[in-house]
């Protein structure tokens, strides 16, 4: 597994990266976006959607959990984007002995997303924010994108909204490593 780190100094750089990655995806792909609040996950998703030719606004689906949007892959074929925000999943009500992954999978099933995540359709791309807890169980082949915010350098060294984000791409399975190498090559 080869990871690649890319600097994104401005919001437009994050959108351009999202757009570039949209040009190498195809149906059945699963992409996980992770990083702290305010890191730029939704900004990345906006560029990703733009690259798929989606004209609807790309907003964080935090309260709706998932949004389904239609667009086109880079080759012009139909693309079905499912943009999931798992931040609000996995509440505190667990069945006795149930682990967090089991709880999250149950919630995804109740939303009708478990099958899409387990076996995305031939024209479907899953873009999931905050899904670190469950994604390995659902998608052994995936691209993980982690966005780090810079720290303010103060005593508590808190994340700041200023400065360059570092985006780390980690391919898992399939031909993701080759696609990422071609992207940055």
């Amino acid at each position: 597994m080869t990871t690649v780190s890319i600097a994104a100094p401005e919001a437009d750089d994050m959108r351009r990266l999202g757009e570039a990655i949209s040009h190498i995806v195809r149906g059945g792909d699963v992409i996980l976006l992770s990083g702290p609040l305010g890191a730029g996950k939704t900004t990345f998703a906006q560029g990703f959607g733009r690259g798929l030719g989606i004209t609807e606004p790309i907003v964080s689906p935090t309260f709706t959990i998932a949004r389904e949007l239609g667009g086109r892959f880079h080759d012009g074929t139909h693309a079905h984007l499912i943009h999931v925000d798992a931040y609000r999943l996995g509440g505190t009500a667990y069945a006795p002995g149930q682990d967090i992954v089991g709880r999250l999978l149950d919630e995804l099933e109740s939303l009708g997303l478990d099958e899409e995540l387990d076996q995305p359709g031939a024209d479907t791309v899953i873009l999931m924010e905050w899904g670190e807890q469950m994604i390995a169980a659902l998608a052994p082949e995936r691209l993980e994108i982690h966005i780090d915010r810079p720290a303010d350098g103060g005593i508590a060294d808190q994340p700041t909204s200023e400065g360059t984000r570092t985006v780390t791409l980690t391919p898992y399975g399939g031909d993701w490593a080759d696609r990422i190498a071609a992207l940055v090559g």
Side-chain angles (χ1 to χ4, degrees), residues 11-78:
D12 283 341
D13 297 311
M14 189 68 72
R15 286 186 193 94
R16 279 191 289 277
L17 178 59
E19 187 170 357
I21 289 177
S22 77
H23 292 172
I24 65 167
V25 298
R26 54 183 173 252
D29 284 345
V30 176
I31 299 171
L32 170 69
L33 287 174
S34 65
L37 288 170
K41 294 179 295 294
T42 300
T43 303
F44 175 94
Q46 291 168 346
F48 190 85
R50 181 175 63 200
L52 291 177
I54 295 171
T55 57
E56 297 175 62
I58 303 286
V59 295
S60 179
T62 299
F63 295 101
T64 57
I65 309 297
R67 294 187 68 219
E68 298 188 41
L69 305 158
R72 298 259 170 229
F73 288 110
H74 197 61
D75 67 2
T77 59
H78 175 73

Side-chain angles (χ1 to χ4, degrees), residues 48-117:
F48 190 85
R50 181 175 63 200
L52 291 177
I54 295 171
T55 57
E56 297 175 62
I58 303 286
V59 295
S60 179
T62 299
F63 295 101
T64 57
I65 309 297
R67 294 187 68 219
E68 298 188 41
L69 305 158
R72 298 259 170 229
F73 288 110
H74 197 61
D75 67 2
T77 59
H78 175 73
H80 176 224
L81 174 64
I82 301 178
H83 183 196
V84 180
D85 186 327
Y87 185 75
R88 300 177 69 78
L89 297 179
T92 58
Y94 292 95
Q98 186 178 30
D99 64 338
I100 189 167
V101 173
R103 170 68 183 184
L104 291 168
L105 293 174
D106 286 349
E107 288 186 40
L108 287 172
E109 182 178 4
S110 72
L111 295 167
L113 292 173
D114 60 323
E115 289 180 18
E116 284 285 1
L117 290 167

Side-chain angles (χ1 to χ4, degrees), residues 116-135:
E116 284 285 1
L117 290 167
D118 188 34
Q119 294 181 342
D123 67 347
T124 300
V125 174
I126 308 291
L127 182 64
M128 178 181 278
E129 299 182 33
W130 297 103
E132 300 90 330
Q133 310 94 319
M134 71 190 99
I135 200 72

